[in-house]
Amino acid sequence: MASIDKNDNTMVILPAFPLGGSRTIPEEDDAEDRLVRSRERNREHARKTRLRKKAQLQGLQSRVKELQAEGQVLRQSVEQCSIASILLGLSSGDQSALSADIADLDSADRKDDKSVSILDAIRGK
């Protein structure tokens, strides 16, 4: 590196790296500072990643609850349609369709108290 002395207009050539050793204290401080900054960036990135993962998990859990509630509503709707079909079969006197509807409702995985009481009433229990 070269510099010009303003007082006597002479050029002084300075070495590009310090003499007397491969590292000086300021360079070691710079390396330590870089390491500290790097570790801090890594910590901050890890913290943000954990927060994103937590938010994503909460969103998925919320979606599961919504879908479970929707599934319950749909199951109830299917059961109500089956009951309505049975009642229509009773009123019209079509015994073959009525028997199939009763078998379908009876084999349903989940029945509420209302459908069980309707089935019992139809069977004459």
Side-chain angles (χ1 to χ4, degrees):
M1 171 184 266
S3 68
I4 299 174
D5 188 356
K6 293 180 182 177
N7 293 337
D8 60 4
N9 291 332
T10 59
M11 184 179 280
V12 178
I13 298 177
L14 301 172
F17 54 90
L19 299 176
S22 62
R23 288 195 141 185
T24 62
I25 293 175
E27 286 180 2
E28 289 174 359
D29 286 344
D30 287 343
E32 286 180 30
D33 288 343
R34 282 194 306 267
L35 184 61
V36 167
R37 286 191 307 269
S38 176
R39 287 180 179 163
E40 183 59 34
R41 280 192 308 268
N42 286 345
R43 270 193 296 275
E44 185 63 20
H45 179 73
R47 185 183 70 79
K48 287 180 180 179
T49 300
R50 286 189 299 273
L51 289 173
R52 270 194 314 270
K53 184 177 180 179
K54 183 178 180 180
Q56 183 181 20
L57 181 61
Q58 288 173 343
L60 290 173
Q61 289 171 338
S62 172
R63 182 72 175 138
V64 165
K65 287 180 183 178
E66 290 171 8
L67 291 173
Q68 286 173 337
E70 182 181 350
Q72 181 63 30
V73 167
L74 291 173
R75 279 190 292 277
Q76 289 174 349
S77 177
V78 167
E79 194 169 312
Q80 288 172 354
C81 287
S82 296
I83 291 171
S85 177
I86 290 170
L87 294 175
L88 282 174
L90 281 175
S91 66
S92 70
D94 185 7
Q95 293 300 317
S96 62
L98 180 62
S99 297
D101 287 338
I102 290 172
D104 287 344
L105 187 59
D106 199 24
S107 67
D109 289 338
R110 296 182 184 207
K111 292 179 264 192
D112 60 9
D113 293 335
K114 184 177 179 182
S115 62
V116 170
S117 63
I118 290 173
L119 283 173
D120 290 343
I122 291 170
R123 291 189 185 119
K125 290 183 180 179

